[in-house]
Coordinates of all heavy atoms in Angstrom, one line a residue:
M1 N -14.9 -22.6 38.0 CA -15.3 -22.4 36.6 C -15.1 -20.9 36.3 O -15.4 -20.0 37.0 CB -16.8 -22.6 36.5 CG -17.3 -22.5 35.1 SD -18.9 -23.3 35.2 CE -19.8 -23.0 33.9
N2 N -14.5 -20.6 35.1 CA -14.2 -19.3 34.6 C -15.3 -18.8 33.7 O -15.7 -19.5 32.8 CB -12.9 -19.3 33.9 CG -11.7 -19.6 34.8 OD1 -11.8 -19.4 36.0 ND2 -10.7 -20.1 34.2
P3 N -15.9 -17.6 34.0 CA -16.9 -17.1 33.2 C -16.3 -16.6 31.9 O -15.2 -16.2 31.8 CB -17.5 -15.9 34.0 CG -16.4 -15.5 34.8 CD -15.6 -16.7 35.2
I4 N -17.1 -16.8 30.8 CA -16.7 -16.2 29.5 C -17.2 -14.8 29.4 O -18.3 -14.5 29.5 CB -17.3 -17.1 28.4 CG1 -16.7 -18.5 28.4 CG2 -16.9 -16.5 27.0 CD1 -17.4 -19.5 27.5
V5 N -16.2 -13.9 29.1 CA -16.5 -12.5 29.1 C -16.1 -12.0 27.7 O -15.0 -12.2 27.3 CB -15.8 -11.7 30.2 CG1 -16.1 -10.2 30.1 CG2 -16.2 -12.3 31.5
T6 N -17.0 -11.2 27.1 CA -16.6 -10.6 25.8 C -15.9 -9.3 26.1 O -16.1 -8.6 27.1 CB -17.8 -10.3 24.9 OG1 -18.7 -9.4 25.6 CG2 -18.5 -11.6 24.6
V7 N -15.0 -8.9 25.2 CA -14.3 -7.6 25.3 C -15.1 -6.6 24.4 O -15.0 -6.6 23.2 CB -12.9 -7.8 24.8 CG1 -12.1 -6.5 25.0 CG2 -12.2 -8.8 25.6
Q8 N -15.8 -5.7 25.0 CA -16.7 -4.9 24.3 C -16.0 -3.9 23.4 O -16.4 -3.6 22.3 CB -17.6 -4.1 25.3 CG -18.7 -3.2 24.7 CD -19.7 -4.1 23.9 OE1 -20.0 -5.2 24.3 NE2 -20.2 -3.6 22.9
D9 N -14.8 -3.4 23.9 CA -14.0 -2.4 23.1 C -13.6 -3.1 21.8 O -13.6 -2.5 20.7 CB -12.8 -1.9 23.8 CG -13.2 -1.0 25.0 OD1 -14.4 -0.4 24.9 OD2 -12.5 -0.9 26.0
A10 N -13.1 -4.3 21.9 CA -12.7 -5.0 20.7 C -13.9 -5.2 19.7 O -13.7 -5.2 18.5 CB -12.0 -6.3 21.0
V11 N -15.1 -5.5 20.2 CA -16.2 -5.7 19.4 C -16.7 -4.4 18.7 O -17.0 -4.4 17.5 CB -17.3 -6.4 20.2 CG1 -18.6 -6.5 19.4 CG2 -16.9 -7.7 20.7
T12 N -16.7 -3.3 19.5 CA -17.3 -2.1 18.9 C -16.2 -1.3 18.1 O -16.5 -0.4 17.4 CB -17.8 -1.2 20.0 OG1 -16.8 -1.0 21.0 CG2 -19.0 -1.9 20.7
A13 N -14.9 -1.7 18.2 CA -13.9 -0.9 17.5 C -14.1 -1.1 16.0 O -13.6 -0.2 15.3 CB -12.5 -1.4 17.9
F14 N -14.7 -2.1 15.5 CA -14.9 -2.3 14.1 C -16.3 -2.3 13.7 O -16.7 -2.9 12.7 CB -14.2 -3.6 13.7 CG -12.8 -3.7 14.1 CD1 -12.3 -4.5 15.1 CD2 -11.8 -3.0 13.3 CE1 -11.0 -4.5 15.4 CE2 -10.5 -3.1 13.6 CZ -10.1 -3.9 14.7
A15 N -17.1 -1.5 14.4 CA -18.5 -1.4 14.1 C -18.7 -0.7 12.7 O -17.9 0.1 12.3 CB -19.2 -0.7 15.2
D16 N -19.9 -1.0 12.1 CA -20.2 -0.4 10.8 C -20.3 1.1 10.8 O -20.0 1.8 9.8 CB -21.5 -1.0 10.3 CG -21.4 -2.4 10.0 OD1 -20.2 -2.9 9.7 OD2 -22.4 -3.2 9.9
W17 N -20.7 1.7 12.0 CA -20.9 3.1 12.0 C -19.7 4.0 12.2 O -19.7 5.2 12.1 CB -21.9 3.5 13.1 CG -21.6 2.8 14.4 CD1 -22.0 1.7 14.9 CD2 -20.7 3.3 15.4 NE1 -21.4 1.4 16.1 CE2 -20.6 2.4 16.5 CE3 -20.0 4.5 15.6 CZ2 -19.9 2.6 17.6 CZ3 -19.2 4.7 16.7 CH2 -19.2 3.7 17.7
I18 N -18.5 3.3 12.3 CA -17.3 4.1 12.5 C -16.7 4.3 11.1 O -16.3 3.3 10.4 CB -16.3 3.3 13.4 CG1 -16.9 3.2 14.8 CG2 -14.9 4.0 13.4 CD1 -15.9 2.4 15.7
E19 N -16.5 5.5 10.7 CA -16.1 5.8 9.4 C -14.8 6.6 9.5 O -14.5 7.2 10.5 CB -17.1 6.7 8.6 CG -18.4 6.1 8.4 CD -18.3 5.0 7.3 OE1 -17.4 5.1 6.4 OE2 -19.0 4.0 7.4
P20 N -13.9 6.6 8.5 CA -12.7 7.3 8.5 C -13.0 8.9 8.5 O -13.9 9.3 7.9 CB -11.9 7.0 7.3 CG -12.9 6.3 6.4 CD -14.0 5.8 7.2
T21 N -12.1 9.6 9.1 CA -12.4 11.0 9.2 C -12.0 11.7 7.9 O -11.3 11.0 7.0 CB -11.5 11.7 10.3 OG1 -10.1 11.5 10.0 CG2 -11.8 11.0 11.7
T22 N -12.3 12.9 7.7 CA -11.9 13.6 6.5 C -10.4 13.7 6.4 O -9.8 13.6 5.3 CB -12.5 15.0 6.5 OG1 -14.0 14.9 6.6 CG2 -12.2 15.8 5.2
A23 N -9.7 14.0 7.5 CA -8.2 14.0 7.5 C -7.6 12.7 7.0 O -6.6 12.6 6.3 CB -7.7 14.4 8.8
E24 N -8.2 11.6 7.5 CA -7.7 10.3 7.1 C -7.9 10.0 5.6 O -7.0 9.5 4.9 CB -8.4 9.2 8.0 CG -7.9 9.2 9.4 CD -8.7 8.3 10.3 OE1 -9.9 8.0 9.9 OE2 -8.2 7.8 11.3
L25 N -9.1 10.4 5.1 CA -9.4 10.2 3.7 C -8.5 11.1 2.9 O -8.0 10.7 1.8 CB -10.8 10.5 3.4 CG -11.9 9.6 4.0 CD1 -13.3 10.1 3.7 CD2 -11.7 8.2 3.3
D26 N -8.2 12.3 3.3 CA -7.2 13.2 2.6 C -5.9 12.6 2.5 O -5.1 12.7 1.6 CB -7.2 14.6 3.2 CG -8.5 15.4 3.0 OD1 -9.3 15.0 2.1 OD2 -8.7 16.3 3.7
A27 N -5.4 12.0 3.7 CA -4.1 11.4 3.7 C -4.0 10.2 2.8 O -3.0 10.0 2.1 CB -3.8 10.9 5.1
I28 N -5.1 9.4 2.7 CA -5.1 8.3 1.8 C -5.0 8.8 0.3 O -4.3 8.2 -0.5 CB -6.4 7.4 2.0 CG1 -6.3 6.7 3.3 CG2 -6.5 6.4 0.9 CD1 -7.6 6.1 3.8
E29 N -5.8 9.9 0.0 CA -5.8 10.4 -1.3 C -4.4 10.9 -1.7 O -4.0 10.8 -2.8 CB -6.8 11.6 -1.4 CG -7.1 12.1 -2.8 CD -7.8 11.0 -3.7 OE1 -8.5 10.2 -3.1 OE2 -7.5 11.1 -4.8
R30 N -3.7 11.6 -0.7 CA -2.3 12.1 -1.0 C -1.4 10.9 -1.3 O -0.5 11.0 -2.1 CB -1.8 12.9 0.1 CG -2.3 14.3 0.2 CD -1.5 15.1 1.2 NE -1.4 14.5 2.5 CZ -2.3 14.7 3.5 NH1 -3.4 15.4 3.3 NH2 -2.1 14.1 4.6
E31 N -1.6 9.8 -0.6 CA -0.6 8.6 -0.7 C -1.1 7.7 -1.8 O -0.3 6.7 -2.1 CB -0.7 7.9 0.6 CG 0.0 8.7 1.8 CD -0.1 8.0 3.1 OE1 -0.4 6.8 3.1 OE2 0.2 8.6 4.1
M32 N -2.2 7.9 -2.5 CA -2.7 7.0 -3.5 C -1.7 6.8 -4.7 O -1.5 5.6 -5.1 CB -4.0 7.5 -4.1 CG -4.7 6.4 -5.0 SD -4.9 4.8 -4.2 CE -6.1 5.2 -2.9
P33 N -1.0 7.7 -5.2 CA 0.1 7.4 -6.2 C 1.1 6.5 -5.7 O 1.6 5.6 -6.5 CB 0.7 8.8 -6.6 CG -0.4 9.8 -6.2 CD -1.1 9.2 -5.0
V34 N 1.5 6.6 -4.5 CA 2.5 5.7 -3.9 C 1.9 4.3 -3.8 O 2.6 3.3 -4.1 CB 3.1 6.2 -2.6 CG1 3.9 5.2 -1.9 CG2 3.7 7.5 -2.7
I35 N 0.7 4.2 -3.4 CA 0.1 2.9 -3.2 C -0.1 2.2 -4.5 O 0.2 1.0 -4.7 CB -1.3 3.1 -2.5 CG1 -1.2 3.6 -1.1 CG2 -2.1 1.8 -2.5 CD1 -2.4 4.1 -0.4
L36 N -0.5 2.9 -5.5 CA -0.7 2.3 -6.9 C 0.6 1.9 -7.5 O 0.8 0.9 -8.1 CB -1.4 3.3 -7.8 CG -2.9 3.6 -7.4 CD1 -3.5 4.7 -8.3 CD2 -3.7 2.3 -7.4
A37 N 1.7 2.7 -7.3 CA 3.0 2.4 -7.8 C 3.5 1.1 -7.1 O 4.2 0.2 -7.7 CB 4.0 3.5 -7.6
D38 N 3.3 1.0 -5.7 CA 3.7 -0.2 -5.0 C 2.9 -1.4 -5.5 O 3.5 -2.5 -5.6 CB 3.5 0.0 -3.5 CG 4.6 0.9 -2.9 OD1 5.6 1.2 -3.6 OD2 4.3 1.4 -1.8
V39 N 1.7 -1.3 -5.8 CA 0.9 -2.4 -6.4 C 1.5 -2.8 -7.7 O 1.6 -4.0 -8.0 CB -0.6 -2.0 -6.5 CG1 -1.4 -3.0 -7.3 CG2 -1.2 -1.8 -5.1
D40 N 1.8 -1.9 -8.6 CA 2.4 -2.3 -9.9 C 3.8 -3.0 -9.6 O 4.0 -4.0 -10.4 CB 2.6 -1.0 -10.7 CG 1.4 -0.4 -11.2 OD1 0.4 -1.1 -11.3 OD2 1.4 0.8 -11.7
L41 N 4.6 -2.5 -8.7 CA 5.8 -3.2 -8.4 C 5.5 -4.6 -7.9 O 6.2 -5.6 -8.3 CB 6.6 -2.4 -7.4 CG 8.0 -3.0 -7.0 CD1 8.9 -3.2 -8.2 CD2 8.6 -2.1 -6.0
L42 N 4.6 -4.8 -7.0 CA 4.3 -6.1 -6.5 C 3.8 -7.0 -7.6 O 4.1 -8.2 -7.7 CB 3.2 -6.0 -5.4 CG 2.9 -7.2 -4.7 CD1 4.0 -7.8 -4.0 CD2 1.7 -6.9 -3.7
D43 N 2.9 -6.5 -8.5 CA 2.4 -7.3 -9.6 C 3.6 -7.7 -10.5 O 3.6 -8.9 -11.0 CB 1.5 -6.4 -10.5 CG 0.1 -6.3 -9.9 OD1 -0.2 -7.0 -8.9 OD2 -0.6 -5.4 -10.3
A44 N 4.6 -6.9 -10.7 CA 5.7 -7.2 -11.5 C 6.5 -8.3 -10.9 O 7.0 -9.3 -11.6 CB 6.6 -6.0 -11.8
H45 N 6.7 -8.3 -9.6 CA 7.4 -9.4 -8.9 C 6.6 -10.7 -8.9 O 7.1 -11.8 -9.0 CB 7.7 -9.0 -7.5 CG 8.9 -8.0 -7.4 ND1 10.1 -8.5 -7.5 CD2 8.9 -6.7 -7.2 CE1 10.9 -7.4 -7.4 NE2 10.2 -6.4 -7.2
I46 N 5.2 -10.6 -8.7 CA 4.4 -11.8 -8.7 C 4.5 -12.6 -10.0 O 4.5 -13.8 -10.0 CB 3.0 -11.4 -8.3 CG1 2.9 -11.0 -6.9 CG2 2.0 -12.6 -8.6 CD1 1.5 -10.4 -6.4
V47 N 4.5 -11.9 -11.1 CA 4.6 -12.5 -12.4 C 5.8 -13.4 -12.5 O 5.8 -14.5 -13.1 CB 4.6 -11.4 -13.5 CG1 5.0 -12.0 -14.8 CG2 3.3 -10.8 -13.6
T48 N 6.9 -13.1 -11.8 CA 8.1 -13.8 -11.9 C 8.3 -14.9 -10.9 O 9.4 -15.5 -10.8 CB 9.3 -12.9 -12.0 OG1 9.4 -12.2 -10.7 CG2 9.3 -11.9 -13.1
L49 N 7.4 -15.1 -10.0 CA 7.5 -16.0 -8.9 C 7.7 -17.5 -9.3 O 8.5 -18.2 -8.7 CB 6.3 -16.0 -7.9 CG 6.3 -14.8 -7.0 CD1 5.0 -14.8 -6.2 CD2 7.5 -14.7 -6.1
D50 N 7.0 -17.9 -10.4 CA 7.1 -19.3 -10.7 C 7.9 -19.6 -12.0 O 7.9 -20.7 -12.6 CB 5.7 -19.9 -10.9 CG 4.9 -19.1 -12.0 OD1 5.4 -18.1 -12.5 OD2 3.8 -19.6 -12.5
R51 N 8.7 -18.6 -12.4 CA 9.5 -18.8 -13.7 C 10.7 -17.8 -13.6 O 10.7 -16.9 -12.7 CB 8.7 -18.5 -14.9 CG 8.2 -17.1 -15.1 CD 7.3 -17.0 -16.3 NE 6.5 -15.8 -16.3 CZ 6.8 -14.8 -17.0 NH1 7.9 -14.7 -17.7 NH2 6.0 -13.7 -17.0
T52 N 11.6 -18.1 -14.4 CA 12.9 -17.3 -14.5 C 12.4 -16.0 -15.2 O 11.8 -16.0 -16.3 CB 14.0 -18.0 -15.3 OG1 14.2 -19.2 -14.7 CG2 15.2 -17.1 -15.3
P53 N 12.8 -14.8 -14.6 CA 12.4 -13.5 -15.3 C 13.1 -13.4 -16.7 O 14.3 -13.7 -16.8 CB 12.9 -12.5 -14.4 CG 13.2 -13.2 -13.0 CD 13.5 -14.6 -13.4
T54 N 12.3 -13.0 -17.6 CA 12.8 -12.7 -19.0 C 13.3 -11.3 -19.0 O 13.2 -10.5 -18.0 CB 11.7 -12.9 -20.0 OG1 10.7 -11.9 -19.8 CG2 11.1 -14.3 -20.0
E55 N 13.9 -10.9 -20.1 CA 14.4 -9.5 -20.2 C 13.2 -8.5 -20.1 O 13.3 -7.4 -19.5 CB 15.1 -9.3 -21.6 CG 15.7 -7.9 -21.7 CD 16.4 -7.8 -23.0 OE1 16.9 -8.8 -23.6 OE2 16.5 -6.7 -23.5
V56 N 12.1 -8.9 -20.7 CA 10.9 -8.0 -20.6 C 10.4 -7.9 -19.1 O 10.0 -6.8 -18.6 CB 9.7 -8.6 -21.5 CG1 8.5 -7.8 -21.2 CG2 10.2 -8.5 -22.9
D57 N 10.4 -9.0 -18.4 CA 10.1 -9.0 -16.9 C 11.0 -8.1 -16.1 O 10.6 -7.3 -15.3 CB 10.1 -10.4 -16.3 CG 9.0 -11.3 -16.9 OD1 8.0 -10.8 -17.3 OD2 9.3 -12.5 -17.0
E58 N 12.3 -8.2 -16.4 CA 13.3 -7.4 -15.7 C 13.1 -5.9 -16.0 O 13.1 -5.0 -15.1 CB 14.7 -7.8 -16.1 CG 15.0 -9.2 -15.5 CD 16.4 -9.7 -16.0 OE1 17.1 -8.9 -16.7 OE2 16.7 -10.8 -15.6
R59 N 12.7 -5.6 -17.2 CA 12.4 -4.2 -17.6 C 11.2 -3.7 -16.9 O 11.2 -2.6 -16.4 CB 12.3 -4.0 -19.1 CG 13.6 -3.8 -19.8 CD 13.4 -3.4 -21.2 NE 13.6 -4.6 -22.1 CZ 13.0 -4.8 -23.2 NH1 12.2 -4.0 -23.8 NH2 13.3 -5.9 -23.9
R60 N 10.2 -4.5 -16.8 CA 8.9 -4.2 -16.2 C 9.2 -3.9 -14.7 O 8.7 -2.9 -14.1 CB 7.9 -5.3 -16.3 CG 6.6 -5.0 -15.7 CD 5.6 -6.1 -16.0 NE 4.4 -5.8 -15.3 CZ 3.5 -6.6 -14.8 NH1 3.7 -7.9 -15.0 NH2 2.4 -6.3 -14.2
M61 N 10.0 -4.8 -14.1 CA 10.3 -4.5 -12.6 C 11.1 -3.3 -12.4 O 10.9 -2.6 -11.5 CB 11.1 -5.8 -12.1 CG 10.2 -6.9 -11.8 SD 10.9 -8.3 -10.9 CE 12.0 -8.9 -12.1
R62 N 12.1 -3.0 -13.3 CA 12.9 -1.7 -13.1 C 12.0 -0.5 -13.3 O 12.1 0.4 -12.5 CB 14.0 -1.7 -14.2 CG 15.2 -2.5 -13.8 CD 16.4 -2.2 -14.7 NE 16.1 -2.3 -16.1 CZ 16.3 -3.4 -16.9 NH1 16.8 -4.4 -16.4 NH2 16.1 -3.3 -18.2
R63 N 11.1 -0.5 -14.3 CA 10.2 0.6 -14.5 C 9.3 0.8 -13.3 O 9.1 1.9 -12.8 CB 9.4 0.4 -15.8 CG 10.1 0.8 -17.0 CD 9.1 0.9 -18.2 NE 8.2 -0.3 -18.4 CZ 8.5 -1.3 -19.1 NH1 9.6 -1.4 -19.8 NH2 7.6 -2.3 -19.2
A64 N 8.7 -0.3 -12.8 CA 7.8 -0.2 -11.6 C 8.6 0.2 -10.4 O 8.1 1.0 -9.6 CB 7.3 -1.6 -11.4
R65 N 9.9 -0.2 -10.2 CA 10.7 0.2 -9.1 C 10.9 1.8 -9.2 O 10.8 2.5 -8.2 CB 12.0 -0.5 -9.1 CG 12.7 -0.3 -7.8 CD 14.0 -1.2 -7.7 NE 13.7 -2.6 -7.7 CZ 14.1 -3.4 -8.7 NH1 14.7 -3.0 -9.7 NH2 13.7 -4.7 -8.7
R66 N 11.2 2.2 -10.4 CA 11.5 3.6 -10.6 C 10.2 4.5 -10.4 O 10.3 5.5 -9.8 CB 12.0 3.9 -12.0 CG 13.4 3.7 -12.2 CD 13.9 4.2 -13.6 NE 14.8 3.2 -14.1 CZ 14.6 2.5 -15.3 NH1 13.5 2.8 -16.0 NH2 15.4 1.6 -15.7
R67 N 9.1 4.0 -10.8 CA 7.8 4.7 -10.6 C 7.5 4.8 -9.1 O 7.0 5.7 -8.6 CB 6.7 4.0 -11.3 CG 6.6 4.4 -12.8 CD 5.2 3.9 -13.4 NE 5.0 2.5 -13.3 CZ 5.3 1.7 -14.3 NH1 5.8 2.1 -15.4 NH2 5.1 0.4 -14.1
A68 N 7.8 3.7 -8.4 CA 7.5 3.6 -6.9 C 8.4 4.6 -6.2 O 7.9 5.4 -5.3 CB 7.7 2.2 -6.4
L69 N 9.7 4.7 -6.6 CA 10.6 5.6 -6.0 C 10.3 7.0 -6.3 O 10.3 7.9 -5.4 CB 12.1 5.3 -6.4 CG 12.6 4.0 -5.8 CD1 14.0 3.7 -6.5 CD2 12.7 4.1 -4.3
A70 N 9.9 7.3 -7.5 CA 9.5 8.6 -8.0 C 8.2 9.1 -7.2 O 8.1 10.2 -6.8 CB 9.2 8.7 -9.5
A71 N 7.3 8.2 -7.1 CA 6.0 8.5 -6.3 C 6.4 8.8 -4.8 O 5.8 9.8 -4.3 CB 5.0 7.4 -6.4
R72 N 7.2 8.0 -4.2 CA 7.6 8.3 -2.8 C 8.3 9.7 -2.7 O 8.1 10.5 -1.8 CB 8.5 7.2 -2.3 CG 7.8 6.0 -2.0 CD 8.7 4.9 -1.5 NE 8.0 3.6 -1.4 CZ 7.3 3.3 -0.3 NH1 7.1 4.1 0.7 NH2 6.7 2.1 -0.3
A73 N 9.2 9.9 -3.7 CA 10.0 11.2 -3.6 C 9.0 12.4 -3.8 O 9.1 13.4 -3.1 CB 11.0 11.2 -4.7
A74 N 8.1 12.2 -4.8 CA 7.1 13.3 -5.0 C 6.3 13.6 -3.8 O 6.0 14.7 -3.4 CB 6.2 13.0 -6.2
L75 N 5.8 12.5 -3.1 CA 5.0 12.7 -1.9 C 5.9 13.3 -0.8 O 5.4 14.2 -0.1 CB 4.5 11.3 -1.4 CG 3.7 11.3 -0.1 CD1 2.4 12.1 -0.3 CD2 3.4 9.9 0.4
H76 N 7.1 12.9 -0.6 CA 8.0 13.4 0.4 C 8.3 14.9 0.2 O 8.4 15.7 1.1 CB 9.2 12.6 0.5 CG 10.1 13.0 1.6 ND1 9.9 12.8 2.9 CD2 11.3 13.7 1.6 CE1 10.8 13.4 3.7 NE2 11.7 13.9 2.9
N77 N 8.4 15.2 -1.1 CA 8.8 16.6 -1.4 C 7.7 17.6 -1.6 O 7.9 18.8 -1.7 CB 9.7 16.6 -2.7 CG 11.0 16.0 -2.5 OD1 11.6 16.0 -1.4 ND2 11.5 15.3 -3.6
S78 N 6.5 17.1 -1.5 CA 5.3 18.0 -1.6 C 5.2 18.8 -0.4 O 5.6 18.4 0.7 CB 4.0 17.1 -1.9 OG 3.7 16.4 -0.8
P79 N 4.5 19.9 -0.5 CA 4.3 20.8 0.7 C 3.6 20.1 1.8 O 3.9 20.4 3.0 CB 3.4 22.0 0.2 CG 3.6 22.0 -1.3 CD 3.9 20.5 -1.7
S80 N 2.7 19.2 1.5 CA 1.9 18.5 2.6 C 2.4 17.1 2.7 O 1.7 16.2 3.0 CB 0.5 18.5 2.3 OG 0.2 17.8 1.0
G81 N 3.7 16.9 2.3 CA 4.3 15.5 2.3 C 4.3 14.8 3.6 O 4.3 15.4 4.7
V82 N 4.3 13.5 3.5 CA 4.4 12.7 4.7 C 5.8 12.3 5.0 O 6.5 11.8 4.0 CB 3.5 11.4 4.4 CG1 3.5 10.5 5.6 CG2 2.1 11.8 4.1
T83 N 6.3 12.5 6.2 CA 7.6 12.1 6.5 C 7.5 10.8 7.3 O 6.6 10.5 8.0 CB 8.3 13.2 7.3 OG1 7.6 13.4 8.5 CG2 8.5 14.4 6.5
G84 N 8.6 10.0 7.2 CA 8.6 8.7 7.9 C 7.8 7.7 7.2 O 7.6 7.7 6.0
G85 N 7.3 6.7 7.9 CA 6.5 5.7 7.4 C 7.3 4.5 6.8 O 8.5 4.5 6.9
A86 N 6.6 3.6 6.3 CA 7.3 2.4 5.8 C 7.9 2.7 4.4 O 7.3 3.5 3.6 CB 6.3 1.3 5.6
A87 N 9.0 2.2 4.2 CA 9.7 2.4 2.9 C 9.7 1.2 2.0 O 9.5 0.1 2.3 CB 11.2 2.7 3.2

């Protein structure tokens, strides 16, 4: 018979008392324009999933794509910019 053993590290890794550090919160704050621009781009794509994109939809997706690229470029070119990461 095999005993059932819990993995304590996996259980406590997500405990309520573990909070993000100040550096992690600062990094999230710096990346927030990129995150919001990506959400807008995703929203523009979701709208067109079940229908053929109209001219307005295509414009919305182009604008969202440009905003996402501009936000990424601004983050990358900032003095405290983040290099690498998902594109």
